[in-house]
Amino acid sequence: MTSWQAPLAKLIGLVVLLPFTVTYMHLYHYTYWKNEYCFVGPHISMVSGKQYESLISSSPNTVDSLESGNADNEIRGETTTDQMTSINDDIAQFHGIYAPVAQKKKNVDRRKFQQKYATTSSSNKSSPISWFWDSGWPSITKSSILISSPSSQLSNHQHLHRQQDGNRNSDHAISFVETNGEKKWCLGSLSLSSEMSKWCSDPLPDYPDGTIHSYPPSGVWRSSSSTASSSSKATPPSLTISCPTPATYLPSNNKSRHKQQNAKQNQNLQFILNHPATTFLLLLNTGLAFYYWNHRISPSTVCKQYTKIVIDHEWWRGFSGALAHFEPLHIGFNMMSLHTLGKELEGGFGSIVFLVYNVAFIVLTTMVMMAMVYGRLRWIQHKLDRTGNNSPHLQQVYQEQQQRLRETSTVGYSAVLFAWMVVSTMERKQATCPIPFFSDVCFQTYSVPGLPFLKFNIAPIVSLFMAQFIMPRVSFMGHLAGIVCGFCLHWGWAIPPLEVCSSNVLMGGVFLIGLVWRRRVIPVRPLLTAVMDEEGCVEHEEYLKSLLAGEAGGEGDQDGSHPPLGQNGNGSTTDPFMQSKQKKKEREQNELRTKQRALFAVRNLIGVVTIASLFVFDWSSSLVISQCVLLAFFTFGTQSSLIVWAYTNSKVESDIIEPEKVRSGMIWRGFFMSAIVSIVFDSMSMASWFVLPTLISAEHPSLPTGLLPVSLLIILRTAVNVFALVISSKILHDIGVGGGIFSLVFSMEIKWSKLIGGHGVFASQKPLWTAFEGRGITLGR
């Protein structure tokens, strides 16, 4: 490999292949190994994503047309459109997740698989708004919700339909059938005996005696009426079944004597496999605590503080403060609570959604906490204004209170844990006893009459005051912010939807809004021309174009003007020094023009993949929103870089260039962070499509494309985003803006991107040495 191919392979392996592999293994383990799910969905094309005809005629060529995918033109017989819609909706009720029925004896042979979750009927998505809003390929968070446990979800209205559907179609099941010497698996309804509502696999081959038929075979199952002699002219379409493999196996006679001992030894491994998000958070918090202790890092450098976050705009402290612990008791109590809450809640939410909400809680609790501090400061200021000069002592007391509020530092994961404590408390069926050693003091969860999802329990608030009483140093506002976020999440109020809470949207979106609202560096406008416009001298757009064309007057020009870009002036000279200077300027302008074209080309590519995402993915999914955020970042970053290059090319004073570099650095750092997170989530989403294609096609019956085209699109989109990531890293390196927590967190990505970017169009074309570059000196007389 060359000097840029190895870093590129490492970068792709870290942000693309690793998330894809981990997500694929986790989803496969959760669905097929742990829960032993079977998925039932329509038989669709891998290319077009369309179902092989909703209802086809019963003819000898039915099977061939289904296999070849040419069933769209089949005659539907005498069945009307309304009848077809009704039959298709009835067939759609069989789509969903099927789980094995629990048995008293642990017998895995020829078990019955009962429907656990029925997907939404296609008729419920027939409106134009729902088709555009929720008809494309889902993100990783939406895919994870489909396979999470319906009985353990929040008492929110968005999850209630899953429980209702599961109860309504509980008589649909997959069972082992043996008739006329043929053995096969069949899907049907226990309440309906019609052949029109029964699908069977191909007859199983003759297996040796003692073979265990543990799972139904995966593949395309055809309706029984398509093979039986029936007078009906219409035949239900085939269904696709995805089950664990292998479907059959021969039992082994070798029994391990240490089976129970090995089971006990593997309990920790089972916890890691079943709760990967909790395990990751435990390792992350513990590892950072050891890192801070080993490097003797002061809490003031990473803590949450109002002055640092709100006034100094160090927004990264929301993450560093939440993940920082400096005392053994602090890290010990928090990690024990995280272990208990994660073990209780992660299984219901799903590991991916649970991890997404943890990251969202870090951001949201920080914002709520800063809002509380701001409100408290405003209230004290109001009392201070009312006091006036009548009481100097009282004024001093109020001012000291404001100073303490601004400089109070908080660290720890407690705010997030209190949010989860609220969710856990209101999901429990039994009463909660928050006071240690007082098991009789318990509080029951109550629901608002007429609003069953709106629950309340006072136990978390009692825990807050107990913690404040036992340990006065704990952050009251930090814990209260967690309680507020927990109630809001459980009620579904004032908390953004899950797709907005997704890390690839929330982190970049909040940073972008902060640049617009707090830092006011967006929209991008040259700082120099802003001053000139106040004097009415020149329009900033025209002035910026003149700078980019090299017309603003630079070093060595007597009349203060340059010839147009790429042309020589009329005053040609034979002086070698002047000729060398003109060549140097032409080289710099050509290099600048090449960079401009590259930025515009990449921006256009990001725009193209963003438009393509609107047609392929859900409009409400994080896949679309995150790409729009990236497009906004790159557009503003392009404008800021052009200004920096124009000022540098025109030899503008350093006190004007430096603020432009700082602004450009903020925008490009936001793009770099957002691009990495978006690429990771794109890879995770693609992994979910490969594991759950049957369930996704059942939940989204109007997919715009098949699995193959959407995979190619996501690969193209990832390639464009990686290329833009490399360009942003190179720009950050050239303008000399970086360091701090940003370089520490993304050190590997920055290093590899910089090595890759040093071999592209942004590589400096300046030669190491040019003849007659300087004036030289006179030797002798």
Side-chain angles (χ1 to χ4, degrees):
M1 288 187 178
T2 61
S3 57
W4 65 271
Q5 289 176 341
L8 178 61
K10 294 178 182 178
L11 181 63
I12 293 177
L14 180 64
V15 300
V16 178
L17 298 181
L18 181 61
F20 178 88
T21 305
V22 172
T23 306
Y24 186 94
M25 294 177 62
H26 162 67
L27 293 178
Y28 196 91
H29 170 268
Y30 181 85
T31 55
Y32 292 124
W33 292 354
K34 178 184 177 183
N35 294 303
E36 301 179 303
Y37 286 157
C38 283
F39 302 113
V40 178
H43 184 204
I44 64 172
S45 170
M46 290 285 291
V47 178
S48 66
K50 303 302 180 182
Q51 184 175 352
Y52 286 144
E53 187 54 73
S54 301
L55 193 68
I56 62 177
S57 64
S58 178
S59 65
N61 298 326
T62 297
V63 176
D64 297 335
S65 61
L66 280 173
E67 293 179 348
S68 62
N70 297 325
D72 292 338
N73 297 324
E74 291 288 343
I75 302 174
R76 297 189 177 99
E78 299 177 356
T79 309
T80 64
T81 304
D82 295 337
Q83 291 174 341
M84 285 175 51
T85 303
S86 177
I87 294 176
N88 290 334
D89 290 342
D90 292 339
I91 295 173
Q93 295 179 6
F94 290 89
H95 299 168
I97 301 176
Y98 289 73
V101 178
Q103 299 178 355
K104 295 182 179 180
K105 296 182 180 180
K106 294 183 179 180
N107 183 17
V108 297
D109 187 24
R110 307 181 184 186
R111 293 175 295 178
K112 179 185 295 184
F113 288 76
Q114 196 170 22
Q115 189 178 47
K116 181 179 181 181
Y117 161 49
T119 57
T120 306
S121 175
S122 59
S123 61
N124 296 333
K125 298 183 179 181
S126 59
S127 63
I129 296 178
S130 62
W131 189 91
F132 281 105
W133 193 255
D134 194 29
S135 62
W137 286 87
S139 63
I140 178 60
T141 49
K142 286 191 173 184
S143 300
S144 181
I145 284 181
L146 293 178
I147 60 174
S148 57
S149 175
S151 60
S152 303
Q153 289 290 347
L154 295 176
S155 301
N156 198 328
H157 61 277
Q158 67 181 10
H159 300 287
L160 292 180
H161 74 278
R162 305 187 65 234
Q163 301 176 13
Q164 295 171 359
D165 288 347
N167 294 332
R168 182 184 63 190
N169 296 328
S170 58
D171 59 341
H172 297 167
I174 303 174
S175 57
F176 189 86
V177 178
E178 186 174 0
T179 57
N180 300 327
E182 289 185 348
K183 299 178 181 179
K184 55 185 177 180
W185 291 82
C186 290
L187 164 64
S189 176
L190 301 179
S191 59
L192 298 176
S193 59
S194 173
E195 293 292 334
M196 293 286 292
S197 59
K198 187 176 182 180
W199 292 261
C200 294
S201 65
D202 294 334
L204 301 178
D206 293 332
Y207 290 103
D209 294 338
T211 300
I212 303 297
H213 298 274
S214 54
Y215 305 110
S218 301
V220 178
W221 291 15
R222 298 178 178 85
S223 174
S224 298
S225 60
S226 63
T227 57
S229 58
S230 177
S231 60
S232 175
K233 294 185 179 182
T235 302
S238 301
L239 296 179
T240 300
I241 313 294
S242 297
C243 291
T245 55
T248 59
Y249 68 93
L250 286 173
S252 175
N253 295 326
N254 298 328
K255 297 182 179 180
S256 175
R257 294 177 299 176
H258 307 285
K259 186 176 182 179
Q260 296 181 352
Q261 181 180 357
N262 291 337
K264 294 181 180 180
Q265 293 176 353
N266 292 334
Q267 287 181 355
N268 293 331
L269 178 60
Q270 291 300 319
F271 177 83
I272 295 174
L273 294 176
N274 296 332
H275 305 87
T278 303
T279 303
F280 172 76
L281 293 172
L282 288 171
L283 294 176
L284 179 62
N285 282 274
T286 307
L288 286 176
F290 177 77
Y291 178 85
Y292 293 150
W293 173 82
N294 192 38
H295 291 78
R296 304 297 187 268
I297 294 178
S298 173
S300 60
T301 59
V302 296
C303 66
K304 296 181 184 179
Q305 190 179 105
Y306 182 85
T307 302
K308 298 291 186 181
I309 294 178
V310 178
I311 299 177
D312 296 339
H313 308 293
E314 297 180 0
W315 303 326
W316 51 266
R317 287 180 176 268
F319 283 93
S320 63
L323 300 174
H325 300 82
F326 293 92
E327 296 178 359
L329 288 178
H330 192 197
I331 184 70
F333 281 123
N334 278 0
M335 294 304 101
M336 285 191 293
S337 300
L338 176 59
H339 179 274
T340 303
L341 292 171
K343 190 175 181 179
E344 178 182 353
L345 296 174
E346 183 176 346
F349 280 88
S351 299
I352 296 173
V353 176
F354 183 74
L355 181 60
V356 166
Y357 271 131
N358 271 273
V359 177
F361 274 147
I362 293 177
V363 178
L364 297 175
T365 54
T366 301
M367 296 173 64
V368 173
M369 178 182 174
M370 294 299 108
M372 290 180 176
V373 175
Y374 175 78
R376 180 64 176 163
L377 289 173
R378 296 298 299 173
W379 174 249
I380 296 176
Q381 184 63 39
H382 174 69
K383 294 193 296 183
L384 187 61
D385 295 339
R386 291 182 57 185
T387 302
N389 298 326
N390 299 329
S391 177
H393 175 70
L394 194 58
Q395 279 187 343
Q396 183 179 0
V397 172
Y398 288 153
Q399 291 174 356
E400 290 178 354
Q401 289 180 358
Q402 287 182 327
Q403 189 68 15
R404 284 197 300 268
L405 281 173
R406 293 191 184 98
E407 297 182 355
T408 299
S409 302
T410 60
V411 294
Y413 208 65
S414 304
V416 179
L417 295 177
F418 263 84
W420 287 123
M421 186 187 302
V422 171
V423 176
S424 173
T425 298
M426 291 192 291
E427 287 300 314
R428 292 174 186 167
K429 297 181 180 179
Q430 66 274 16
T432 303
C433 308
I435 304 177
F437 308 110
F438 290 89
S439 58
D440 296 335
V441 182
C442 302
F443 302 93
Q444 194 72 33
T445 300
Y446 298 95
S447 300
V448 177
L451 300 174
F453 66 90
L454 192 60
K455 300 180 180 179
F456 184 79
N457 194 314
I458 201 175
I461 301 177
V462 175
S463 299
L464 171 63
F465 284 99
M466 286 298 302
Q468 195 71 26
F469 175 77
I470 298 174
M471 297 173 288
R473 290 180 55 198
V474 301
S475 173
F476 180 82
M477 288 191 178
H479 293 174
L480 183 59
I483 292 177
V484 171
C485 291
F487 277 112
C488 290
L489 174 66
H490 197 276
W491 294 340
W493 292 355
I495 290 288
L498 176 60
E499 294 301 299
V500 179
C501 287
S502 185
S503 304
N504 56 337
V505 175
L506 187 65
M507 295 174 63
V510 169
F511 192 82
L512 183 63
I513 294 174
L515 294 181
V516 176
W517 181 43
R518 295 295 303 173
R519 299 304 297 267
R520 300 186 185 278
V521 299
I522 296 175
V524 178
R525 184 180 181 185
L527 300 178
L528 178 60
T529 56
V531 179
M532 299 182 68
D533 285 344
E534 293 177 358
E535 301 174 358
C537 295
V538 66
E539 292 293 336
H540 69 276
E541 291 292 342
E542 296 180 359
Y543 185 70
L544 178 58
K545 292 179 181 179
S546 67
L547 290 177
L548 294 176
E551 299 174 355
E555 179 184 357
D557 292 288
Q558 301 297 330
D559 57 354
S561 63
H562 287 287
L565 184 62
Q567 298 182 7
N568 293 324
N570 295 327
S572 60
T573 178
T574 58
D575 185 3
F577 171 72
M578 296 302 299
Q579 291 179 351
S580 176
K581 186 175 182 180
Q582 290 178 359
K583 292 180 180 180
K584 177 182 177 182
K585 186 170 186 60
E586 291 176 1
R587 184 177 65 246
E588 291 176 349
Q589 291 178 348
N590 290 332
E591 184 177 344
L592 175 60
R593 185 166 54 188
T594 303
K595 292 180 179 180
Q596 290 175 335
R597 287 199 298 261
L599 279 182
F600 292 151
V602 176
R603 182 196 61 186
N604 295 337
L605 283 176
I606 296 178
V608 169
V609 296
T610 302
I611 295 175
S613 300
L614 293 173
F615 291 95
V616 176
F617 307 126
D618 289 348
W619 284 17
S620 61
S621 72
S622 60
L623 294 173
V624 173
I625 304 175
S626 63
Q627 194 64 26
C628 293
V629 172
L630 288 184
L631 179 60
F633 265 120
F634 199 91
T635 301
F636 294 131
T638 299
Q639 296 175 359
S640 64
S641 295
L642 294 180
I643 295 172
V644 172
W645 294 339
Y647 284 174
T648 304
N649 185 51
S650 301
K651 308 299 187 293
V652 178
E653 292 80 2
S654 60
D655 57 343
I656 297 178
I657 297 180
E658 289 305 318
E660 293 285 0
K661 288 185 176 181
V662 172
R663 174 173 65 178
S664 181
M666 286 188 291
I667 297 175
W668 283 116
R669 283 199 298 271
F671 174 82
F672 192 92
M673 173 195 67
S674 302
I676 289 180
V677 180
S678 296
I679 293 171
V680 169
F681 271 73
D682 289 352
S683 304
M684 296 171 65
S685 299
M686 184 167 62
S688 69
W689 303 336
F690 278 85
V691 179
L692 308 170
T694 304
L695 184 61
I696 292 174
S697 63
E699 183 70 20
H700 302 268
S702 301
L703 289 175
T705 62
L707 180 59
L708 181 59
V710 75
S711 301
L712 295 178
L713 175 62
I714 204 69
I715 292 173
L716 174 62
R717 172 169 142 164
T718 301
V720 172
N721 291 339
V722 168
F723 185 52
L725 182 75
V726 171
I727 290 179
S728 64
S729 174
K730 181 61 178 176
I731 293 175
L732 285 172
H733 175 70
D734 291 342
I735 64 180
V737 178
I741 191 70
F742 176 78
S743 299
L744 182 63
V745 174
F746 301 106
S747 58
M748 292 188 297
E749 293 87 347
I750 293 175
K751 176 183 176 181
W752 296 334
S753 301
K754 180 175 136 184
L755 293 175
I756 301 169
H759 295 79
V761 294
F762 282 79
S764 178
Q765 304 297 327
K766 182 178 180 181
L768 297 177
W769 177 81
T770 303
F772 304 107
E773 187 74 24
R775 288 187 176 276
I777 58 175
T778 303
L779 300 177
R781 291 184 179 272

